[in-house]
């Protein structure tokens, strides 16, 4: 069906604001009387605080107060709820709660002063005495402490994987590992809290991926009703999962604002951005067996992920191995290893980027051992249904992803088409499959249409740079036939209709479907008005027979009704509708996933071991693409991150102290412009009328899944050396 906006490339409606600096982020609001808080972090990973000496800092003119566990208000210490919507099993972290230190970098004091610079200076004068205890942060050293306590159920085993593995003609038994990864969005976390003593209410600007999440957190701690806590976050400078859970600066700003009766801003430094949440370090063991002809006979996948000592953070890591390929004998196991770190957090494609890395590398190893082309090997073991849940897919165009990626990349003549002439450069090619869940969450939206032809649509969702403002305007414009220039989409405010956090690649699926539904409600109201005020002969026309284009209702008999004129005729300044939309029950009968095929070319310096990635092709089957321009941007960013995951990113911790040694952007390496060359994105046409009313599957995460494994496979192709522990640095190739 031809549309005015959906499926068309459109520039971001908020683009001008962002490039001109007029987009106001959480830390840029300036309420009258604003003061600043600076966090003091612990320098040990386990033990207790014997004393905090704040006298020197308090003597500085302009320092208003210093908050520690010794003067934390009693009402936020007792009988309060510090959980949030994404809290894992266990006990959530409570800032300044007592003298116990749970991890290195834990906030142990907040210095509040008239300026940021003054607060930072005074924080440097705070002296802390500790009673340090032995700490442990290395999961490899703590494998014996692995536990299933608090672990969510993995997909059920099937068949007899051990016996099938023992009898398989071709077998591999391998271990993969990856280090901690840190989110590092451009905008650090910041909160500005205002307390109104008369109304006993908060107004808070927060860098977060879901304002309702922060609202629930603050309400639970301060024992307030939701109408007494307003959270605003109109623009977010990147999140990648770091803003899914409220971070400690939010509580500290709110607590200080209430106690001092002044607006308080607490910003985290780049180093402090390493003091909460991360993609957890993980060790994966895979035993896989196949017949001589390449048919999978057995998959045994065990994963060990780190978590904190106070919460049990879970990821879906091993389940992908039970779903992706046809195999009758599968055994899956997932265990957690508690160590002295902050609780890990979701990070772009949580569990999927990790689990699929190991699976897709193992598939490559098994394909080579059976002497079958890696692409042909995957096609040979293609799964037409979700074997974990024994359900059909709502749609699955993975075969077409393989076909188009191979054609575009030149997969089957890959070893004859290189242009490299320098004998010092080794060339390799690799591929991998990507997969990510296509989910829809309950979501609400409101729409107001005025007689002047203006449409305002709102939902409390977020835009973390993904293009939410734009695609929601496109959906609304298409549904009501109104020019995008006449549409305003509002988000990032808890006073708006409730929406889920922006994560999981479900925002378009969830909020977009709610926007479409609420605009359809307006359309029905307009049709009813036309039947009364324009022509009674229209009374028997079905709603679905009426289309909307250029601000006009078009009836099947040819009658044209201008929407603005209709409202004026009916004596209405505006009409509005609000609704909450939940997934349809029939969706439970299907498994819904986005799929991809990633193919890469790598060049490896024979003498130095340095790796470059000159070419990547990623073919994505992500359902209906609402805006190809912003969609491509999502995938390009994800591929870039996948390059960093494969070759550079590594959170390094000194196990003696639990200190993060490279908590800065100089030493925590990630992909930059020089690492990115030819990235090609192909969107595969995929129709899905089950996944949600829009048929969109989400793209935020699918783009990174498979990239690291494709690069690892290509490095092996180039060098003959299999590096199974990320990142693939030159020392591992030269050792």
């Amino acid at each position: 069906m031809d549309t005015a906006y959906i499926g068309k490339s459109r520039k971001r409606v908020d683009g001008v604001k962002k490039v001109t600096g007029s987009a106001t982020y959480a830390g840029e609001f300036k309420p009258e009387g604003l003061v600043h808080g600076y966090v003091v972090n612990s320098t040990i990973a386990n033990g207790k605080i014997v004393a905090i000496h704040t006298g020197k800092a308090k003597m500085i003119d302009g320092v208003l107060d210093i908050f520690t566990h010794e003067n934390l208000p009693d009402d936020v210490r007792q009988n309060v709820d510090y959980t949030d919507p994404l809290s894992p099993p266990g006990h959530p972290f409570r800032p300044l709660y007592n003298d116990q230190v749970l991890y290195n970098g834990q906030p142990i004091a907040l210095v509040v002063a008239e300026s940021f610079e003054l607060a930072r200076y005074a924080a440097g004068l705070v002296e802390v005495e500790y009673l340090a205890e032995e700490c442990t942060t290395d999961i490899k050293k703590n494998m014996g402490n692995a536990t299933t306590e608090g672990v969510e159920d993995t997909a059920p085993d099937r068949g007899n994987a051990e016996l099938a593995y023992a009898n398989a003609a071709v077998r591999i038994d391998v271990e993969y590992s990856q280090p901690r990864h840190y989110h590092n969005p451009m905008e650090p976390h910041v909160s500005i809290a205002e307390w109104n003593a008369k109304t006993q209410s908060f107004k808070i600007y927060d860098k977060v991926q879901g304002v309702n999440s922060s609202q629930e957190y603050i309400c639970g701690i301060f024992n307030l009703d939701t109408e007494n806590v307003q959270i605003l976050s109109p623009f977010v400078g990147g999140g990648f999962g770091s803003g899914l859970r409220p971070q400690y600066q939010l509580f500290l700003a709110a607590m200080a604002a209430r106690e001092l009766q002044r607006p308080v801003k607490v910003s985290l430094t780049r180093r402090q951005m390493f003091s909460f949440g991360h993609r957890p370090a993980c060790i994966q063991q895979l035993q896989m067996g196949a017949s001589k002809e390449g048919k999978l006979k057995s998959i045994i996948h065990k994963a060990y992920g780190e978590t904190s000592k106070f919460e049990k953070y879970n990821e879906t890591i091993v389940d992908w191995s039970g779903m992706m390929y046809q195999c009758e004998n599968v055994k899956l196991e997932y265990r957690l290893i508690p160590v002295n770190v902050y609780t890990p957090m979701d990070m772009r494609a949580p569990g999927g980027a990790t689990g699929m890395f190991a699976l897709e590398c193992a598939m490559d190893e098994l394909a080579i051992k059976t002497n079958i082309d890696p692409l042909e090997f995957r096609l040979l073991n293609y799964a037409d249904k979700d074997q974990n849940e024994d359900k059909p897919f709502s749609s699955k165009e993975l075969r077409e992803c393989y076909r188009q990626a191979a054609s575009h990349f030149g997969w089957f003549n890959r070893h004859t088409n290189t242009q490299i002439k320098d004998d010092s450069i080794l060339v390799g090619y690799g591929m991998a499959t990507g997969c990510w869940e296509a989910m829809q969450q309950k979501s609400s939206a409101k729409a107001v249409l005025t007689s002047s032809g203006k449409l305002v649509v709102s939902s409390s969702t977020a835009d973390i740079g993904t293009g939410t403002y734009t695609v929601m305007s496109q959906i609304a414009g298409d549904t009501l036939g109104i020019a995008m220039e006449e549409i305003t989409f509002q988000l990032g405010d808890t006073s708006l209709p409730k929406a889920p956090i922006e994560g999981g690649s479900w925002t378009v699926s969830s909020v977009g479907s709610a926007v479409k539904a609420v605009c359809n409600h307006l359309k029905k109201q307009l049709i009813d008005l036309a039947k009364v005020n324009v022509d009674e002969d229209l009374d028997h026309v079905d709603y679905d027979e009426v289309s909307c284009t250029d601000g006009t209702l078009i009836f099947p008999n040819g009658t044209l009704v201008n929407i603005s004129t209709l409202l004026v005729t009916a004596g209405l300044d505006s009409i509005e509708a609000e609704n909450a939309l939940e997934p349809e029950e029939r969706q439970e009968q299907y498994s819904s996933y986005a799929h991809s095929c990633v193919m890469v070319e790598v060049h490896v310096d024979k003498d130095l071991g340095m790796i470059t990635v000159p070419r990547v092709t990623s073919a994505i089957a992500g359902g209906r693409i609402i805006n190809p321009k912003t969609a491509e941007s999502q995938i390009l960013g994800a591929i870039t991150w996948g390059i960093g995951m494969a070759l550079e990113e590594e959170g390094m911790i000194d196990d003696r102290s639990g200190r993060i040694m490279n908590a800065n952007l100089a030493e925590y390496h990630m992909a930059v412009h020089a690492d990115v060359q030819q990235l090609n994105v192909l969107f595969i046409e995929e129709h899905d009328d089950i996944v949600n009313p829009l048929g969109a599957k989400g793209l935020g995460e699918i783009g990174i899944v498979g990239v690291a494994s494709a690069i690892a496979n290509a490095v092996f192709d180039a060098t003959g050396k299999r590096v199974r522990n990320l990142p693939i640095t030159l020392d591992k190739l030269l050792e």
Side-chain angles (χ1 to χ4, degrees):
M1 181 181 69
D2 189 34
T3 64
Y5 297 121
I6 292 180
K8 308 294 173 60
S9 291
R10 298 284 300 192
K11 295 179 181 178
R12 295 173 186 262
V13 298
D14 54 331
V16 172
K17 285 186 176 181
K18 287 185 173 180
V19 299
T20 59
S22 58
T24 310
Y25 292 79
E28 296 179 315
F29 290 90
K30 297 178 181 178
E32 186 177 354
L34 180 67
V35 295
H36 299 261
Y38 193 90
V39 178
V40 177
N41 301 87
S42 72
T43 57
I44 67 170
N46 189 30
K48 63 173 54 180
I49 300 168
V50 175
I52 296 185
H53 303 289
T54 59
K56 292 180 182 178
K58 285 183 176 179
M59 290 176 61
I60 303 298
D61 187 29
V63 172
L64 303 178
D65 206 343
I66 300 176
F67 295 94
T68 71
H69 69 278
E70 295 175 343
N71 62 346
L72 184 72
D74 288 338
D75 66 335
V76 295
R77 194 192 301 271
Q78 301 173 356
N79 301 318
V80 291
D81 182 6
Y82 277 79
T83 61
D84 63 81
L86 287 183
S87 293
H91 304 285
F93 176 66
R94 297 167 291 185
L96 311 187
Y97 185 73
N98 55 29
D99 61 358
Q100 297 298 306
V101 177
L102 303 174
Y103 69 98
N104 195 306
Q106 174 179 316
I108 57 175
L110 178 72
V111 179
V112 184
E114 294 289 350
S115 71
F116 172 80
E117 292 78 11
L118 193 58
R120 180 177 59 187
Y121 173 71
L125 299 178
V126 175
E127 299 175 350
V128 185
E129 294 181 38
Y130 300 101
L131 180 61
E133 299 177 13
E134 185 179 353
C135 72
T136 178
T137 58
D138 189 331
I139 61 172
K140 192 74 173 178
K141 295 178 181 178
N142 289 276
M143 295 283 283
N145 297 327
T147 177
T148 57
E149 180 184 351
V151 174
E152 297 176 2
D153 292 337
T154 59
D157 299 343
R158 57 180 182 266
N160 189 329
E162 286 94 346
L163 181 61
Y165 177 76
N167 293 330
V170 184
R171 295 180 294 181
I172 61 168
D173 186 348
V174 289
E175 181 177 288
Y176 303 93
S177 66
Q178 68 183 51
R180 299 171 182 88
H181 295 155
Y182 291 86
H183 302 77
N184 277 313
M186 285 193 295
E187 178 197 21
H189 282 272
V190 58
S191 299
I192 297 175
E194 298 180 66
W195 171 252
N196 188 318
K198 287 186 177 181
T199 61
Q200 296 288 290
S201 62
F202 278 113
K203 181 179 182 180
I204 300 174
Y205 302 95
D206 190 32
K207 189 269 174 68
V208 68
Q209 291 177 233
V211 289
N212 296 105
S213 178
S214 291
Q215 183 188 53
E216 181 176 320
Y217 176 73
I218 291 296
C219 286
I221 295 173
F222 294 92
N223 194 27
L224 296 170
D225 295 328
T226 54
E227 54 264 29
N228 292 95
V229 177
Q230 183 184 16
I231 309 289
L232 299 108
S233 187
F235 292 96
V236 180
F240 314 118
S242 67
L244 292 177
R245 297 187 67 185
Q247 302 306 335
Y248 61 75
Q249 92 287 336
L250 172 60
F251 164 75
L252 294 175
M255 179 270 297
R258 193 189 64 164
E259 294 304 301
L260 298 175
Q261 303 290 300
R262 296 274 298 271
V264 176
K265 174 181 176 179
V266 179
S267 306
L268 300 187
T269 65
R270 180 56 61 182
R271 181 171 187 83
Q272 289 168 340
M273 289 292 290
F274 288 77
S275 67
F276 63 86
H278 55 278
R279 193 193 300 280
C282 184
I283 296 170
Q284 300 182 71
Q285 298 167 348
L286 268 158
Q287 293 176 304
M288 296 176 66
S291 67
K292 291 180 179 179
E293 296 74 29
K295 280 285 192 177
L296 284 173
K297 295 299 181 182
S298 175
I299 300 175
I300 302 173
H301 190 173
K302 298 178 182 179
Y304 301 85
E306 69 174 342
T307 189
S308 67
K309 297 271 188 166
F310 48 91
E311 287 180 308
K312 299 292 191 297
Y313 173 77
N314 284 254
E315 284 190 326
T316 303
I317 294 177
V318 298
D319 287 14
W320 308 95
S321 293
M323 182 193 69
M324 283 303 302
Y325 300 103
Q326 182 66 39
C327 185
E328 296 180 358
N329 302 285
V330 175
K331 183 177 178 61
L332 308 172
E333 185 179 299
Y334 174 51
R335 293 176 179 267
L336 293 175
I337 301 176
V339 289
N340 294 111
V341 298
Y342 188 88
T343 305
M345 289 177 57
D346 290 352
M347 184 171 176
R348 200 170 196 167
T354 300
M356 290 289 287
F357 162 70
L359 174 64
E360 288 302 297
C361 286
M363 286 290 288
D364 193 74
E365 294 200 45
L366 198 55
I368 290 169
K369 202 165 186 179
T370 55
N371 199 30
I372 298 174
D373 180 89
L375 175 55
E376 295 291 352
F377 186 74
R378 286 165 174 80
L379 287 167
L380 188 64
N381 293 286
Y382 193 89
D384 289 309
K385 70 174 183 178
D386 179 348
Q387 299 169 96
N388 285 342
E389 299 191 19
D390 194 28
K391 293 179 181 179
F393 292 105
S394 59
S395 62
K396 184 179 181 182
E397 292 294 340
L398 180 55
R399 289 185 191 274
E400 188 62 15
C401 289
Y402 288 146
R403 189 189 71 79
Q404 291 199 32
S407 175
H408 183 277
F409 187 82
W411 177 257
F412 291 111
N413 63 343
R414 57 192 183 278
H415 288 291
T416 61
N417 64 2
T418 179
Q419 300 300 309
I420 291 293
K421 303 298 184 183
D422 190 340
D423 290 339
S424 68
I425 299 297
L426 302 173
V427 181
Y429 303 90
M431 60 88 57
T433 306
C435 184
W436 184 253
E437 299 168 278
M439 297 172 282
Q440 182 186 357
Q441 306 288 338
K442 181 179 179 180
S443 204
S444 303
K446 181 179 179 180
V448 179
L449 178 63
T450 69
S451 57
S452 62
K454 303 290 185 182
L455 175 65
V456 178
V457 186
S458 58
S459 178
S460 65
T461 185
D463 189 336
I464 61 174
T466 51
T468 306
Y469 278 111
T470 306
V471 296
M472 297 305 162
S473 299
Q474 289 179 264
I475 293 166
D478 245 28
T479 307
L480 279 173
I482 294 176
M484 281 183 63
E485 292 73 21
E486 304 298 324
I487 299 172
T488 299
F489 186 73
Q490 299 174 336
L491 54 71
D493 185 342
T494 50
S495 67
L496 302 176
K498 191 172 183 179
I501 54 176
E502 182 164 63
S505 297
W506 61 49
T507 298
V508 170
S509 170
S510 307
V511 180
S513 294
V515 168
K516 179 180 175 68
V518 78
C519 288
N520 272 326
H521 283 308
L522 283 188
K523 178 183 173 183
K524 290 179 180 180
Q525 289 184 42
L526 291 169
I527 294 170
D528 287 338
L529 285 173
K531 290 177 178 181
V532 173
N533 294 277
V534 178
D535 189 344
E536 293 182 0
D537 291 340
L538 303 176
D539 192 49
H540 298 293
V541 173
D542 188 87
Y543 293 114
D544 292 335
E545 296 179 309
V546 182
S547 60
C548 300
T549 305
D550 296 330
T552 302
L553 296 175
I554 304 174
F555 286 84
N557 65 357
T559 300
L560 304 179
V561 180
N562 180 272
I563 291 174
S564 294
T565 303
L566 175 61
L567 292 179
V568 172
T569 302
L572 298 172
D573 292 327
S574 65
I575 58 172
E576 65 179 64
E578 183 172 344
N579 79 308
L581 190 68
E582 297 190 57
E584 297 179 17
E585 289 186 10
R586 66 175 182 147
Q587 293 176 18
E588 293 295 321
Q589 303 170 27
Y590 298 86
S591 287
S592 297
Y593 290 85
H595 294 90
S596 70
C597 173
V598 185
M599 293 182 171
V600 304
E601 176 183 331
V602 302
H603 294 175
V604 183
D605 188 293
K606 185 186 300 184
D607 300 314
L608 301 178
M610 296 180 63
I611 305 168
T612 57
V613 185
R615 192 161 60 100
V616 180
T617 294
S618 181
I620 308 288
R624 193 180 192 188
I625 307 301
I626 305 300
N627 185 333
K629 186 181 184 69
T630 55
E632 182 186 36
S633 179
Q634 283 288 287
I635 305 303
L636 292 175
I639 294 172
T640 302
W641 200 339
I643 294 172
M645 178 181 174
L647 305 178
E648 299 174 58
E649 291 200 44
E650 183 176 12
M652 298 180 179
I653 294 188
D654 184 340
D655 192 48
R656 298 167 299 178
S657 64
R659 182 179 69 89
I660 302 171
M661 296 184 289
N662 58 336
N664 56 70
L665 295 186
E667 296 168 303
Y668 182 86
H669 296 165
M670 60 184 71
V672 296
H673 285 85
D675 301 304
V676 178
Q677 299 184 44
Q678 185 180 341
L679 307 184
N680 306 290
V681 180
L682 311 175
F683 287 116
I684 308 305
E685 185 174 344
E686 186 173 49
H687 176 74
D688 194 326
D689 59 4
I690 295 169
V691 64
N692 55 64
L694 288 168
K697 289 185 173 181
L699 300 168
E701 269 121 337
I702 183 60
I704 189 174
V705 181
V707 177
S709 42
I711 292 173
N713 295 337
V715 169
F716 172 80
D717 186 55
T719 66
K721 185 159 188 174
R722 183 70 67 173
V723 180
R724 300 188 181 97
N725 56 320
L726 295 180
I728 307 170
T729 48
L730 58 87
D731 56 304
K732 294 171 185 174
L733 289 178
L734 296 176
E735 65 184 10

